[in-house]
Amino acid sequence: MPGGKTVLKWGVERRLEFIEFRLYWEGGVNRSDIVEAFDVSVPQASKDLTLYQERAPHNAVYDKSAKRYVASEAFQPCFLRPDAAHYLTQLRSVAEGILPAAASWIAHFPPYSGPPVPARDVTNETLRTVLGAIRDNLAIEIKYQSLSRPEPRWRWIAPHAIGFDGFRWHARAFCQIDQTYKDFLLARFVETRGSKPSGVEPDADTDWNEEITLEVGPHPELSDTQQRVVALDYGMRGGKAKIPVRKALLYYALKRLGLDTDPAARRPQDQQIVLLNRSLIEAAHPSLSRTWNEDASAINE
């Protein structure tokens, strides 16, 4: 804790983090903010603000006209590690209906919009069944509608992980029909019935457990200034960024980054980044050479 002070109870520390979040991102905080966010009494909120001033005496100044504490020019976080990515994730999650506004610490939401993300209809029962199978190492029987067959059919799978490709949720599972590990879209589960010990160890899914590092850099045909901007966008160091990805998710990662096609097929201003270690990855993983351009149906059901 700051200054080596007595360790605080978890609830108190969370409220001090909240105070600091509001000071840092919103510019200020008052008692009613704490009361509303944590359902505590006004006296308790006052105690929290007093305690915060004791622990971080140079961070907040009381503004009598606004009747709230505002961040001082000497403000330095003591209880919270401000994280822009975390703030933006909250903003996006609330805007897309994933997170209730009341569950966020953001007080004043800036206008926000993003590309539409189609809703994927995963039922509660499907997710609950899959989670139970993962937890207890079970195989489950599912009625699954793949795009490779006109009608759904029953099959046994042994799920061991949950995956997300940026748009859709998957169960990573051993398929007893095909005798291999595959991705099954949770939204395509029509029905589930029955379970049994799987007899399959998750460690055997080498594609899931093996990690590959993609090295990306600015497109070489961009100007020097444009390359510097792209490097900043992707947090590159020394002209490249290293992106770890599970081998099983390689197809999705390449597609989402726009690296699943020949860089020459798009304008440098549209492509922006290129894969620097493509040949190294192909040499180290010969079986992946077909992945660069293969259809998603070969990856998932």
Side-chain angles (χ1 to χ4, degrees), residues 1 90 135 171 214 239 296:
M1 291 297 299
Q90 282 195 46
R135 182 179 62 249
L214 304 178

Side-chain angles (χ1 to χ4, degrees), residues 194-236:
S195 63
K196 63 183 180 181
S198 73
V200 177
E201 291 298 328
D203 290 346
D205 188 355
T206 55
D207 281 357
W208 177 267
N209 293 308
E210 183 178 345
E211 195 172 81
I212 298 171
T213 298
L214 304 178
E215 294 185 359
V216 301
H219 197 293
E221 294 183 19
L222 293 173
S223 70
D224 289 344
T225 303
Q226 290 172 328
Q227 289 189 38
R228 285 196 292 270
V229 169
V230 171
L232 287 173
D233 283 346
Y234 286 84
M236 296 179 185

